[in-house]
Amino acid sequence: QVQLVESGGGLVQAGGSLRLSCAASGRTFNDYAMGWFRQAPGKGREFVAAIAWNGASIIYGDSVKGRFLISRDNAKNTVSLQMNSLKPEDTAVYYCALSRTRVSSLLTSGEVYAYWGQGTQVTVSS
């Protein structure tokens, strides 16, 4: 069993920054790809970013490219999402997720993720 716990959400003004973290326990973290998704009220789940098990491949959703950075620390079993130049439309609950797939091109789909965190709220005021 895997447990994922997100932290770092909060309220920030437009143009500001936040850093989300996700701590994993229960399995060998560095064998798995990690991803971030978000869901705004009344909208579907949106892919944000993903990083391959070895960090060799990183993918971003179009709406966050150039503003968000995903990274992982396998020694600490954590994955982080640095969010810069935040916009009101970034307001959502952010979830981290863990995937067994080694095919990086699949990491944009929530279907390949076996474990999910409980989510952390990010609110960006205008």
Side-chain angles (χ1 to χ4, degrees):
Q1 190 68 16
V2 173
Q3 293 82 41
L4 301 174
V5 179
E6 301 98 336
S7 61
L11 173 65
V12 64
Q13 287 189 330
S17 298
L18 278 176
R19 185 177 181 86
L20 305 183
S21 293
C22 175
S25 62
R27 282 187 180 268
T28 305
F29 176 77
N30 56 0
D31 287 345
Y32 300 99
M34 298 296 297
W36 287 95
F37 289 77
R38 67 187 183 186
Q39 188 161 18
K43 296 187 177 181
R45 184 173 60 195
E46 180 187 8
F47 169 75
V48 175
I51 185 166
W53 66 279
N54 59 359
S57 180
I58 292 175
I59 307 169
Y60 294 100
D62 288 342
S63 61
V64 307
K65 281 180 182 176
R67 300 188 297 122
F68 289 14
L69 290 172
I70 188 172
S71 61
R72 66 188 296 159
D73 186 336
N74 287 344
K76 296 182 179 179
N77 283 10
T78 59
V79 61
S80 297
L81 185 69
Q82 177 66 41
M83 306 186 296
N84 301 319
S85 302
L86 283 161
K87 305 174 182 180
E89 50 265 44
D90 293 318
T91 295
V93 177
Y94 283 71
Y95 300 89
C96 73
L98 181 149
S99 172
R100 299 184 182 95
T101 184
R102 296 297 179 97
V103 182
S104 296
S105 61
L106 297 178
L107 291 175
T108 58
S109 170
E111 300 300 319
V112 304
Y113 292 85
Y115 298 97
W116 294 80
Q118 82 290 349
T120 186
Q121 176 70 47
V122 171
T123 303
V124 184
S125 63
S126 56

